Amino acid sequence: MREMGRGALVGLAVGAVEAVMWAAGADWDGHSGVRGPYSLGMMSAVFLIGSVVAALVRLRRWPLVAFAGEIATLALGQALWRFVPETTFYGFDRSLLGGVHLMSAVAGFTVAAWAPASTRRWWSRIAVLGVLAALCVLAVPLEEPARRWHLARAFELLEVPLVAPGIAGHRLSEVQAPTVGGAGEPVIQLEYRRVGAETAGGSRLAIQVIVRRVSAATAAEACATPYYAESWQDGSGPCRAASRDRWVRYGWEGRVAVFTQSGGSLVELESHGVEETALLAAAETIRPTTAETLAAQVHPVR
């Protein structure tokens, strides 16, 4: 038990340094990573601080234990980071993710100090090491399910109605990752591509859909001031009322958008390559969807 306590103390020192370095690191595209969870400086700090503190607390066989703890810390850290969500999914400060570094360091050095010190119950050592190895191995195939789970929760936290059109001849090809707790208005953004031409013609063959809270505006107000209002400033025509409180607006180079309310949501459908009649027909197909369906179409950001 004494060796475990010393190992935990070493891990605490290493993890604290890692957490501070993480918090002081620069953001990467507004997400949780600093071009990955471990920089070269942080990895160097793990080995340097781990060895120095292990010697200071007089761990038994400290060179071996320190090296094993350092390797275990990095391996556990890499495994745990596969389950960590983007900060934008839940709207918390990225510095809190330093706790992942702290947790992996404490666990790694504690196990490294305990394993050679325990003279009884050899099977318990094998069991603990087996659990740690299994965590590191299983983290790889479980990363994608965990990412989608976090994404689904983020869509629910947006409190934007989960609706989507079922557009004839088009397939939902991409959903933008949600941003929870940001300064802007929460929205869900979807893109539909024509079946058989998903990778051809760029966005001209696509239909962009923006779903907002119905409290944000009426369909007429949304037409007058679209979500990306600045992109409509040049060469844009006036709004025109269509049937059943649907509004239509034309922009430059054939851009057309339809604004409507459906299922407690405010929906904007627009395209550069699809006619007004097709967008009005698409507005008829808006139905409830699930957070899991949307999450499955979000492309990885890491």
Side-chain angles (χ1 to χ4, degrees):
M1 292 297 293
R2 179 179 299 178
E3 288 300 303
M4 289 179 62
R6 292 176 178 175
L9 183 61
V10 177
L12 186 62
V14 172
V17 172
E18 287 184 277
V20 170
M21 294 181 70
W22 169 263
D27 289 352
W28 173 42
D29 295 341
H31 297 294
S32 61
V34 185
R35 304 204 176 275
Y38 287 96
S39 63
L40 179 60
M42 189 180 293
M43 293 178 67
S44 301
V46 170
F47 284 90
L48 178 61
I49 302 300
S51 298
V52 170
V53 179
L56 290 175
V57 300
R58 299 180 181 179
L59 271 176
R60 186 183 305 175
R61 303 174 187 173
W62 72 263
L64 176 62
V65 170
F67 181 75
E70 290 149 3
I71 297 299
T73 293
L74 295 176
L76 279 172
Q78 291 286 1
L80 292 176
W81 271 96
R82 294 182 182 274
F83 303 106
V84 170
E86 298 296 329
T87 57
T88 50
F89 292 175
Y90 295 99
F92 59 85
D93 190 274
R94 63 180 297 279
S95 62
L96 295 177
L97 294 178
V100 177
H101 291 297
L102 186 63
M103 186 186 309
S104 59
V106 171
F109 278 94
T110 299
V111 172
W114 167 77
S118 178
T119 58
R120 300 178 181 178
R121 297 181 181 178
W122 56 269
W123 53 267
S124 63
R125 284 180 286 177
I126 295 178
V128 171
L129 295 176
V131 169
L132 295 180
L135 174 62
C136 295
V137 172
L138 292 176
V140 176
L142 291 178
E143 179 179 14
E144 181 61 17
R147 185 186 73 89
R148 291 191 182 184
W149 188 89
H150 286 302
L151 275 168
R153 305 292 77 74
F155 279 115
E156 293 171 350
L157 288 173
L158 277 178
E159 297 183 348
V160 174
L162 302 182
V163 298
I167 306 175
H170 289 71
R171 179 183 296 118
L172 178 61
S173 63
E174 183 175 356
V175 178
Q176 184 171 308
T179 299
V180 176
E185 177 191 347
V187 298
I188 295 175
Q189 301 188 57
L190 311 94
E191 180 169 289
Y192 287 76
R193 295 274 175 157
R194 198 168 64 191
V195 176
E198 287 89 345
T199 59
S203 61
R204 300 196 67 85
L205 294 177
I207 297 176
Q208 287 78 38
V209 180
I210 300 176
V211 182
R212 306 163 65 184
R213 297 170 180 170
V214 73
S215 59
T218 65
E221 291 169 342
C223 182
T225 309
Y227 183 71
Y228 291 113
E230 64 279 1
S231 67
W232 287 88
Q233 291 177 355
D234 297 327
S236 175
C239 292
R240 175 173 55 83
S243 61
R244 288 188 295 172
D245 196 30
R246 291 187 173 89
W247 291 75
V248 179
R249 184 172 183 176
Y250 281 85
W252 56 278
E253 293 186 352
R255 184 182 187 182
V256 59
V258 169
F259 303 82
T260 185
Q261 291 185 353
S262 177
S265 64
L266 174 64
V267 182
E268 174 184 343
L269 305 95
E270 69 168 76
S271 177
H272 279 85
V274 176
E275 295 183 355
E276 173 187 329
T277 54
L279 293 182
L280 287 171
E284 298 282 353
T285 67
I286 298 172
R287 299 290 185 273
T289 187
T290 65
E292 286 73 20
T293 298
L294 297 176
Q297 296 299 328
V298 176
H299 296 174
V301 293
R302 292 178 182 175

